[in-house]
Amino acid sequence: MNGDSYQGAQVGANVQSQVDTLRHVISQTGGYSDGLTANQMYSPQGINQREEKQLEASVESLISRVAHLKNSLQSFIYKLENEYDRLPWPSVLDNFALLSGQLNTINKLLRNEKTPSYRNQVIIPLLLSPDRDEELAKLTEQRVPVFSHEIVPDHLRTKPDPEVEDQEKQLSAEAARIGQEVAQKQIQTLNKLCSSLLEKLNSPRDDRDAESSALRQNKQWFNPTDTNALVAAVGFGKGLSKCRPPNSVTPGHPGQAMMSGGPTLQQVTIAGAPGHQTGIGTSVAQQQPGQPGKMPSSIKTNIKSASASMHPYNR
Amino acid sequence: MEAPPVTVMPVTGGTINMMEYLLQGSVLDQSLDSLLHRLRGLCDNIEPESFADHELVYLLKGQQGNPFILRARRSLAHPTAPWHLRYLGQPEVGDKSRHALVRNCVDVAASHSLPDFLNEMGFRMDHEFVAKGHIFRKGVLKVVVSKLSRVLVPGNTDNTEPLSLSYLVELSVLAPAGQDTVSEDMRNFAEQLKPLVHLEKIDPKRLM
């Protein structure tokens, strides 16, 4: 769609400039030529009044449509160039939709029964001039300043470019070269490919979506148990070996007596956290399953030694 | 009775009165690449840093009260880099309006004699582990994705065993006390990591 509409749009703009040019030239030359009126310029003599009017009206409406297209193209290009950093994708799509809609209306207009066939109209440049024509430049927004020999063949061209023509010739030559049967076969293969591709594209998208979402839901990204284990490990060393070597990374203290029997970090942090009775209960139960509620031995020793030191004082 | 050697009062005043806002989660090993990929997209566009650290947790026990805990970290990848000493306060869960765990946090760089010094002060090592992983940043947000390993032979960081089949994921921000608005940003960021990782405020006391 992207390439299509853009190309189409270019063609549209081109048509617009051509039409502008022509109208201008026609109106100008109309004055100079002997007795030829503007209408007679682009309608061969002998066309009756009704058809002339129709032609006039259709050209008029075509011009206005093309002008609309040109305006929206301009604004879109402006946006792309100046607001590309904050242009949301949906609005880009909107712009494309607008352009393709406008191109569609132009196509419809051209195919309309009431529109006379432009193909049958003949346009003849009557006056070529190498001088700059301000009026023409203004009409074509400075795109065509001169209506000269150099420019006219390009603007009034009804055939494709020479290169394109060459390519077309090559293609038709090739088409003529391969036999009828081979061509039939190729057409069939292409049709088959296209239909299978269409089928794939049209196959219910919901199916795939449901499948992938189910996959996503089934797939486990994380494990809450692991989360807890890891958090407990960094928090208070749960699950990490309680190593208290005299010289693990600290050589120079080989004979250091370690505090043995003291509560580990896990135990003390629990005891020091007020308001977490359940925590204390469970952890004590875990450590001393057979003696619920019994004080840890180290604390007992502390009490004993304290009372021992107090004893002489009391006496 | 002599006063306890060290108080557990939070350090106040000056630039060191910083709080760490924390969210935690984990990701399975096989989903790690997806997570890293997403983080690379979400975070600041700088090459993510990898690290391999050895953390030693030291305790100083007084006669009463909580022991004083210090965490010493050294880089295994850069042995000449200074050690990193960190104090973390008791985590506060707070109410529902605050989306992250908050704890007092003091960070200092230290020389290589830090273990000796702590030992001389009476600190004793409680446990150690090795963390290897990646750091990402997005403004003030810091995301650490790391593999925790236990050290099998004390002090020998070459001989380790992974703690689980998952990577720990921590999202943290250092901010002055009372700036609870950062937790809002953290929650928004955490939302973007779902369903790969569910970052939550996990009360460690709940896990004991």
Side-chain angles (χ1 to χ4, degrees), chain A residues 221 226-227 235 238 256 270, chain B residues 26 28 71 124 166 207-208:
Chain A
W221 303 100
D226 277 358
T227 307
K238 188 179 185 178
Q256 188 97 39
I270 298 163
Chain B
S26 76
L28 287 170
R71 295 160 183 274
R124 293 297 173 261
S166 294
L207 301 173
M208 296 207 180

Side-chain angles (χ1 to χ4, degrees), chain A residues 74-85:
Chain A
Q74 261 174 352
S75 72
F76 184 38
I77 290 173
Y78 178 83
K79 270 189 210 159
L80 278 182
E81 279 173 353
N82 295 294
E83 297 167 24
Y84 58 90
D85 47 345

Side-chain angles (χ1 to χ4, degrees), chain A residues 174-189:
Chain A
E174 205 169 315
R177 200 165 43 77
I178 45 173
Q180 183 75 20
E181 265 181 47
V182 185
Q184 249 340 303
K185 247 181 211 169
Q186 282 188 357
I187 289 170
Q188 272 173 11
T189 332

Side-chain angles (χ1 to χ4, degrees), chain A residues 74-109:
Chain A
Q74 261 174 352
S75 72
F76 184 38
I77 290 173
Y78 178 83
K79 270 189 210 159
L80 278 182
E81 279 173 353
N82 295 294
E83 297 167 24
Y84 58 90
D85 47 345
R86 54 181 189 281
L87 192 63
W89 179 239
S91 109
V92 175
L93 291 182
D94 284 351
N95 274 298
F96 272 126
L98 182 65
L99 292 179
S100 93
Q102 285 173 338
L103 284 171
N104 264 333
T105 28
I106 290 175
N107 274 336
K108 255 187 214 157
L109 187 76

Side-chain angles (χ1 to χ4, degrees), chain A residues 228-243:
Chain A
N228 289 343
L230 289 168
V231 169
V234 278
F236 45 90
K238 188 179 185 178
L240 297 166
S241 47
K242 295 283 164 200
C243 48

